[in-house]
Amino acid sequence: MTIFTNFLRSLLLTIIFSFVAPMLLVGGGLLLLSLSSHFPGLQELTEAIAIQIRHFLATFGSGTPLRGLFVISLTCTFVGALFDMYVYYRCQILRVGS
């Protein structure tokens, strides 16, 4: 029973971190661009980069960048959960085989 609870705990943590990581990465990037736009001469460059990131996110979100960020985060969550289940399966197979 403890193996199953360990698996569920690992799966839950993987799901949470896989969802939060893309949000922090994209949000941190946009925040960094916003802060660097206050330097003279960088405003136009950082605005152009931020606009391209928003267009990229809007592509996945049916025109809304926030929805695109959620879609990317949910996709990363799904892939992370599948990877965690695969690792658990391989661990069980290797444990039985040895």
Side-chain angles (χ1 to χ4, degrees):
M1 188 65 173
T2 59
I3 293 174
F4 184 68
T5 56
N6 288 339
F7 168 68
L8 286 180
R9 181 178 33 210
S10 171
L11 186 63
L12 182 66
L13 286 173
T14 301
I15 287 171
I16 290 170
F17 287 130
S18 295
F19 184 79
V20 171
M23 289 200 166
L24 289 178
L25 183 68
V26 174
L30 288 174
L31 179 67
L32 186 66
L33 285 172
S34 173
L35 291 176
S36 64
S37 69
H38 294 296
F39 291 113
L42 291 178
Q43 185 174 9
E44 294 174 4
L45 177 67
T46 56
E47 281 182 17
I49 294 172
I51 287 172
Q52 292 299 321
I53 291 173
R54 280 190 238 123
H55 283 299
F56 175 77
L57 292 174
T59 301
F60 291 103
S62 302
T64 307
L66 186 61
R67 188 178 294 163
L69 184 59
F70 279 125
V71 167
I72 291 172
S73 294
L74 287 174
T75 304
C76 289
T77 300
F78 181 68
V79 171
L82 284 177
F83 183 70
D84 190 53
M85 286 188 275
Y86 171 73
V87 168
Y88 176 76
Y89 170 75
R90 288 295 295 167
C91 181
Q92 293 301 317
I93 293 298
L94 292 176
R95 186 178 298 160
V96 170
S98 32

